[in-house]
Amino acid sequence: QVQLVESGGGLVQAGDSLRLSCAASGRTFSSYVMGWFRQAPGKEREFVAAISRRSGVTYYADSVKGRFTISRDNAKNTVYLQMNSLKPEDTAVYYCAAKSGVNYSDRNPRLYDYWGQGTQVTVSS
């Protein structure tokens, strides 16, 4: 019912910045908590950041806090992830996800209902 499409990934050097975008279909975008997850080869998908439905309250993994910023524009049905001071360990496929309900502090990807196809972020040293 909800389709998500990520964009903005690429190859950058350590210390550089990237901004990921996630465009959502449908007219109920503001009804969903939005999150970003990432997954490196051979590792489990891990939580990166989330944002509440309308108030814009944010929640971050410790590994990215202070470097990444999640935001959303409900009028444009889009969520963003601004990534600054990128490190090689940030290299992964980044996924946009949507979750029904109110709780924006869920770190478990199994609690999210819809997923994008992912976009590759590679940070060289």
Side-chain angles (χ1 to χ4, degrees):
Q1 294 180 3
V2 177
Q3 297 188 56
L4 306 172
V5 180
E6 303 97 331
S7 62
L11 173 63
V12 298
Q13 292 185 313
D16 286 351
S17 298
L18 276 177
R19 184 177 64 191
L20 306 183
S21 298
C22 174
S25 65
R27 301 179 181 178
T28 59
F29 177 73
S30 62
S31 298
Y32 295 92
V33 171
M34 299 299 298
W36 287 96
F37 293 76
R38 65 188 183 186
Q39 187 168 25
K43 296 186 177 181
E44 296 200 340
R45 191 165 300 186
E46 68 171 347
F47 171 81
V48 175
I51 187 167
S52 63
R53 297 180 299 177
R54 283 174 280 274
S55 63
V57 181
T58 58
Y59 178 62
Y60 298 94
D62 290 341
S63 59
V64 306
K65 193 172 185 178
R67 298 188 298 122
F68 291 10
T69 302
I70 187 172
S71 61
R72 68 191 296 165
D73 188 336
N74 288 341
K76 296 181 178 180
N77 281 15
T78 303
V79 62
Y80 306 93
L81 185 68
Q82 177 67 46
M83 304 184 294
N84 298 328
S85 301
L86 283 163
K87 305 175 181 179
E89 50 262 45
D90 295 319
T91 296
V93 176
Y94 282 71
Y95 296 91
C96 175
K99 181 175 72 69
S100 301
V102 178
N103 192 357
Y104 58 85
S105 61
D106 289 326
R107 302 172 66 93
N108 189 346
R110 299 184 67 178
L111 298 177
Y112 280 74
D113 302 304
Y114 304 99
W115 294 85
Q117 83 289 348
T119 185
Q120 177 70 48
V121 173
T122 302
V123 184
S124 63
S125 59

